[in-house]
Amino acid sequence: MRFASILHDGAPMAVAIDGDQAVPLTGIAELGTMTPLSLLRYPSLDRASALPSADLLRRPVVPCPGKIICVGLNYAAHIEETKREPSAYPVLFTKFATTLAGPFDAIPLPPEPEAIDYEGELTVVIGERARRVPRDRALDHVAGYTLANDVSMRDYQYKTHQWLQGKAWDASTPVGPDLVTLDEISEPLTLKTFVNGVKVQESSTELLIFDVPTLVSTVSEFATLEPGDLILTGTPGGVGFRREPPLLLGDGDEVVVEMEQVGRIENRCFAERAR
Ligand code: MG
C-alpha cells in the first residue's frame, strides 16, 4: 500500500493512496510514531471521507520523525567524485524535523551559502521499534521506502569535518511523496535526479555500499529506531558541486528525484531573503 501525510482544508491527516482516491486513516493526523507497521498492515480506513488523490497538499511523508539519520558516501561513484576514501563503517549524520519539506514544496535557497547542491536519495521509513537488530531481521522493522533530496550547502558542509551545518537548513530536504510498503517493491530500484529536465544522477540500489538491512542493523546497535524514523541512504555519483564546471542550484531551478515503484518528488528553488 501507499500512504501519505496531507493537509486538507488546513487539517493534517494521514491517508492511504488507493488509485485516484486518498482515504483517511481513521483518527490519524500524520504518518510517524502513531503509524507502526502493525497499523499500516491493517489500517482503519474512513472510506466515507475519501478525497481525490490528485492535487492533495502534501506534507513531508513523515512530518515529525523522532530521528532522521543520513548516510554519506554510500555509492562508490560518489566517493570517487569526492576524492575520499571508502569507509569500513557507514558515515552517519543527522537532520532535524524542521529540515524537512513537502515533496512538491518550493526549496528556499538561503542568502548565506554560496554552493547549494542536490542529492537524490532512497529513504527508509522505520515501521517497528528496532534495537540491536541483526541484519537478517532488519527489514521486518522497515515500513517502506520513500524519496528525499538531501539538499546540501557545500561551502557550509566543508567548514569542518562535521557536516551538520551544511545539511540541516530549515525546509531544505523534501521527502515523499508516499510511504510505499515493501510488499509493493521489488529491488533493485533505479534512482534518477534531474535538474531543469536534464538527468544528472542515475544509479541502482544494487550499488549501495551499505544496503538497507545493514544500515538498519548498524544504527539500531547504538540507537533505538522507532516507527516514523527516517534513514536517508546516501546519494549516488553526479552531484553538482563535483562537476566541471559545477552545477549549483539557483533561483528558479527545478529538481526532480524519481525512482520507479517508489515515486517522484519535484521542487522548484527560490532565492530566500534573510529575515
Ligand atoms: Mg546525502
Side-chain angles (χ1 to χ4, degrees):
M1 293 183 76
R2 306 178 82 95
F3 299 92
S5 297
I6 68 164
L7 271 184
H8 178 62
D9 287 342
M13 57 176 68
V15 295
I17 305 291
D18 185 6
D20 59 1
Q21 288 199 314
V23 187
L25 272 57
T26 308
I28 307 275
E30 61 190 37
L31 301 177
T33 54
M34 301 302 288
T35 56
L37 196 46
S38 55
L39 180 140
L40 296 179
R41 279 201 188 102
Y42 307 102
S44 170
L45 297 174
D46 179 6
R47 292 206 172 268
S49 303
L51 305 162
S53 59
D55 302 324
L56 295 174
L57 182 53
R58 300 292 195 114
R59 305 176 71 203
V61 64
V62 179
C64 200
K67 298 180 202 69
I68 306 164
I69 312 274
C70 307
V71 185
L73 306 175
N74 203 15
Y75 289 86
H78 183 51
I79 295 175
E80 203 168 295
E81 70 186 354
T82 60
K83 301 182 174 60
R84 287 163 179 262
E85 292 299 314
S87 170
Y89 190 89
V91 173
L92 302 174
F93 62 95
T94 59
K95 292 176 182 278
F96 313 118
T98 49
T99 312
L100 301 182
F104 307 108
D105 287 357
I107 300 172
L109 305 180
E112 297 90 351
E114 293 176 353
I116 304 179
D117 203 354
Y118 53 83
E119 291 193 355
E121 303 196 15
L122 171 70
T123 297
V124 176
V125 183
I126 297 297
E128 294 293 345
R129 178 173 293 185
R131 184 76 209 278
R132 297 194 179 95
V133 173
R135 188 184 173 284
D136 63 355
R137 292 214 315 269
L139 288 182
D140 297 344
H141 299 262
V142 170
Y145 291 162
T146 191
L147 293 172
N149 185 349
D150 174 20
V151 171
S152 301
M153 289 42 174
R154 299 295 186 198
D155 47 335
Y156 276 70
Q157 178 181 351
Y158 297 125
K159 280 179 187 290
T160 71
H161 65 277
Q162 299 282 337
W163 298 353
L164 176 72
Q165 69 283 348
K167 295 283 196 175
W169 289 70
D170 284 353
S172 64
T173 306
V175 60
D178 302 333
L179 187 180
V180 185
T181 53
L182 291 186
D183 55 308
E184 299 238 339
I185 289 171
S186 66
E187 297 190 51
L189 297 160
T190 301
L191 177 84
K192 296 178 187 171
T193 306
F194 300 83
V195 176
N196 298 328
V198 176
K199 188 167 65 182
V200 290
Q201 293 187 293
E202 178 170 355
S203 193
S204 167
T205 54
E206 278 182 309
L207 297 175
L208 284 164
I209 295 171
F210 301 101
D211 63 9
V212 170
T214 301
L215 292 172
V216 171
S217 177
T218 300
V219 174
S220 79
E221 185 179 39
F222 63 84
T224 304
L225 292 168
E226 301 280 2
D229 287 352
L230 301 180
I231 301 177
L232 280 64
T233 60
T235 204
V239 299
F241 188 62
R242 299 295 176 178
R243 286 171 180 266
E244 195 56 55
L247 173 63
L248 300 171
L249 297 177
D251 189 36
D253 284 344
E254 182 197 66
V255 189
V256 169
V257 180
E258 68 176 29
M259 183 174 261
E260 81 256 35
Q261 304 175 54
V262 178
R264 168 188 172 97
I265 61 175
E266 184 175 328
N267 306 89
R268 192 164 289 282
C269 302
F270 74 97
E272 178 195 34
R273 295 217 175 108
R275 275 175 273 174

